[in-house]
Amino acid sequence: MIRVTFIGAEGNSREARANAGDRLLEVAQNDGQPLEGTCEGQMACSTCHVLISAEDFARLPPASEEEEDMLDLAIGAGKTSRLACQIILTPELDGLTVRMPPGHRDMQGR
Ligand code: FES
């Protein structure tokens, strides 16, 4: 089992549990996090953008060039931004802390 801590844009944190092989996007959605994931992992939308905690960022496999390109377009992107649809959880990632980007909901017009 892999534990993932989600921190909402307002700073509220929740711990979710996932299995190896789960995609971070689905784990977040199942936990009720506001990630749309509109393109379902095709790297065409960036609505699954999240910020990884600085300590955890280095534990993730590096982003592909396509992912980097999408992140350039993501709202509120920072140095530790990733697309949640591109992150497959492995036991090594246990304890990952993932923050929702600030203003996520507002910028979606909701
Ligand atoms: S779901 Fe569209 S880029 Fe991740």
Side-chain angles (χ1 to χ4, degrees), residues 25 37-48 83 85:
L25 175 60
T38 314
C39 76
E40 296 177 350
Q42 304 303 305
M43 279 198 273
C45 73
S46 85
T47 59
C48 63
L83 296 177
C85 68

Side-chain angles (χ1 to χ4, degrees), residues 3-82:
R3 285 159 306 159
V4 182
T5 301
F6 291 111
I7 302 179
E10 295 85 33
N12 47 316
S13 92
R14 285 172 57 88
E15 188 179 277
R17 280 156 205 270
N19 295 310
D22 286 352
R23 272 201 307 175
L24 183 60
L25 175 60
E26 271 101 45
V27 176
Q29 287 177 333
N30 288 342
D31 191 56
Q33 301 298 328
L35 295 180
E36 276 182 56
T38 314
C39 76
E40 296 177 350
Q42 304 303 305
M43 279 198 273
C45 73
S46 85
T47 59
C48 63
H49 167 223
V50 292
L51 297 156
I52 308 293
S53 74
E55 316 81 83
D56 292 332
F57 188 72
R59 293 202 278 151
L60 294 170
S64 64
E65 227 171 277
E66 290 90 339
E67 183 179 344
E68 295 284 4
D69 287 349
M70 279 319 295
L71 286 169
D72 285 345
L73 306 174
I75 295 150
K79 278 208 274 294
T80 62
S81 288
R82 293 297 302 260

